[in-house]
């Protein structure tokens, strides 16, 4: 008999093989495995896992449907709260949200909630099962800016309530970071992201691509001239940060966003596309978050020896444990407690190396993590031909600077109420990375839901 304290293991591509391709790493559960894993759920009356979910999915509810073999029913339970379950099942940090609250984790391993969500959502995609549509339109018209997880969630929730919703997206493809940031090997684009967006379209949401709000038109024009009664801003935080060290403008230095956009959105990894990317023989990725892991694993798949350079120790790496584990398995080398001082440049203006310094951990700083402190005299050089800076991002100031009365804070984030997304401007709401700075898919979705609720509370009184 299976050990109930342990999860049903999930099948994955062999690390040596996957380090050379862009196919999805994790294969997910089949129905038999999902039903066995679901049987580990204790169906707690006071389900703590739900408290850990920012969109409050009825987790015991959908898992009990899986136990009964009613996968379509499980999907309908999830879709009451989430428009993007195949995406969340793959990229949500479940280990620090729903799963860490699972009662099973006291004595053993928590129920694999994320992998079960993924199984149900993939089943719904394969079998064309649609979420419930609005029975009739309510006559109100809302604009959503940005087609990332916050915008898609807000749009989907409003469409279900009968609103006429148009999403305006600056890029030619829909999905935000889901398409241009997170790589194919973690989140397949055609098989998962585009199909899940099709479901949002199926709810009646209209999409307009190649529209940059703040340039093509403005929020004030949408409201004053085009009849939109409310606007939700979900424009993300796509502006990369740099260190300000010498050599950072050399050829061969990328922001992680640019590097990943070239590979994911412009498919530089695909031989049938001619998008250039400095594949690099020896690549340094500076930073330790999910974005850094994605850049490192992409560079590895493009054929490079990859070094992650991070100024704190392994315990402080902000990336998901699963991503660090996968990166190590695939052969990414971690240079921890190391910080760049200068990028070394050759006579033609190309990167030839990096001067770095060893660090040690001092007292905790404002973030609660121990502050990295330089060890005097410990500088040394590493030879690299490409450097990818992955130090975080902030919101692009374009929308705030072209919208009258929209308040931002000193980090350039739009100021909005947490519970309903209301900004300083009447009938304008905001959420996701544009408000919080770079965060997570599920938090952006939670903010999209809150924004939809705020808009509905306001417009339904009109
Ligand atoms: C490489 C990478 C890996 C990540 N990995 C994970 C992960 O594993 N798990 C996780 O939970 N989170 C992860 N994140 C974070 C997560 O993807 C983001 O927190 C989330 O996508 C934010 O959603 P959003 O809707 O606020 O913004 P975004 O996803 O950034 O979408 C914003 C959209 O608005 C559009 N836009 C911007 N300005 C305008 C304008 N002026 N007019 C019209 N459209 C505009 C943009 O083109 C974009 O499509 C990752 C992020 C990156 C970059």
């Amino acid at each position: 008999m299976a050990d109930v304290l342990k999860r049903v293991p999930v099948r994955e591509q062999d690390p040596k093989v996957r380090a050379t391709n862009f196919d999805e790493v994790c294969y997910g559960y089949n129905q038999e495995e999902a039903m066995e894993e679901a049987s580990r759920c204790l169906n707690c009356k006071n389900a703590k896992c739900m408290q850990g979910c920012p969109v409050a999915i009825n987790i015991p509810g959908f898992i009990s449907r899986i136990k009964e073999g009613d996968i379509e029913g499980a999907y309908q339970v999830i879709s009451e709260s989430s428009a993007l379950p195949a995406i969340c099942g793959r990229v949500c940090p479940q280990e620090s949200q729903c799963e860490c609250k699972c009662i099973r984790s006291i004595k053993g391993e928590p129920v694999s909630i994320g992998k079960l969500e993924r199984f149900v959502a993939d089943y719904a995609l394969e079998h064309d099962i649609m979420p419930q549509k609005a029975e009739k339109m309510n006559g109100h018209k809302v604009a959503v800016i940005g087609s990332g997880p916050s915008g898609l969630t807000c749009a989907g929730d409003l469409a279900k309530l009968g609103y006429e919703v148009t999403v305006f997206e600056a890029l030619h493809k829909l999905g935000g970071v889901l398409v241009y940031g997170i790589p194919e090997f973690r989140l397949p684009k055609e098989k998962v992201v585009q199909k899940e967006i099709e479901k949002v379209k199926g709810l009646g949401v209209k999409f307009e691509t190649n529209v940059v709000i703040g340039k093509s038109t403005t929020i004030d024009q949408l409201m004053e001239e085009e009849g939109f009664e409310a606007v939700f801003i979900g424009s993300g935080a796509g502006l990369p940060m740099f260190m300000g060290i010498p050599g950072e403008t050399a050829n061969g230095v990328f922001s992680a966003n640019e590097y990943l956009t070239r590979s994911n959105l412009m498919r530089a990894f695909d031989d049938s596309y001619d998008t250039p990317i400095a594949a690099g023989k020896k690549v340094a990725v500076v930073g330790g978050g999910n974005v850094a892991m994605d850049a490192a694993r992409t560079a590895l798949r493009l054929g490079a020896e990859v070094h992650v350079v991070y100024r704190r120790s392994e315990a402080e790496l902000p990336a998901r444990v699963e991503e660090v584990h996968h990166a190590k398995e695939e052969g990414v080398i971690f240079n921890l407690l190391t910080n760049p001082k200068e990028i070394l440049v050759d006579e033609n203006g190309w990167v030839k190396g990096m001067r770095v310094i060893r660090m040690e951990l001092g007292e905790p700083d404002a973030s609660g993590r121990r502050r990295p402190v330089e060890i005097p005299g410990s500088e040394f050089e590493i030879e690299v031909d490409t450097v990818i800076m992955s130090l975080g991002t902030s919101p692009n100031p374009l929308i705030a600077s072209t919208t009258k009365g929209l308040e931002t804070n000193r980090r350039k984030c739009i100021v909005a109420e947490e519970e309903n997304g209301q900004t300083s401007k009447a009938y304008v709401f905001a959420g996701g990375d544009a408000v919080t700075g770079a965060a997570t898919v599920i938090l952006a979705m939670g903010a999209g839901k809150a924004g939809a609720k705020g808009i509905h509370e306001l417009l339904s009184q009109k």
Side-chain angles (χ1 to χ4, degrees), residues 23 49 86 100 231 271 285 335 405 409 414:
D23 299 339
C49 52
C100 73
V231 176
D271 287 342
V285 177
N335 300 280
N409 63 20
I414 297 169

Side-chain angles (χ1 to χ4, degrees), residues 91 146 148-150 169-170 176-177 186 211 213 234-236 260 294 433 439-441:
V91 303
S150 65
E169 168 54 51
V177 170
R186 278 213 294 134
V211 181
I213 302 297
S235 50
L260 290 167
D294 283 344
D433 285 6
T440 63
V441 170

Side-chain angles (χ1 to χ4, degrees), residues 126-206:
E126 278 160 30
H127 294 81
D128 279 331
I129 302 167
M130 290 299 293
Q132 299 289 342
K133 244 179 122 165
E135 281 172 12
K136 61 179 176 46
M137 304 303 281
N138 63 17
H140 292 294
K141 197 172 154 186
V142 177
V144 169
I145 302 171
S147 64
S150 65
L152 290 171
T153 302
C154 183
D157 275 17
L158 288 172
K160 282 191 204 163
L161 291 165
Y163 288 83
E164 182 187 332
V165 187
T166 307
V167 177
F168 296 96
E169 168 54 51
L171 295 173
H172 62 285
K173 274 221 163 143
L174 302 172
V177 170
L178 306 174
V179 287
Y180 78 73
I182 304 180
E184 183 75 22
F185 55 82
R186 278 213 294 134
L187 185 61
K189 308 303 161 217
E190 297 301 325
K191 197 181 108 194
V192 177
V193 182
Q194 297 312 328
K195 279 199 172 176
E196 231 154 45
I197 293 174
E198 286 305 317
K199 285 190 186 277
V200 179
K201 281 188 188 162
L203 293 170
V205 175
K206 289 185 221 152

Side-chain angles (χ1 to χ4, degrees), residues 443-456:
L443 286 174
M445 288 176 62
K449 277 191 111 44
K453 190 168 153 266
I455 290 172
H456 181 53

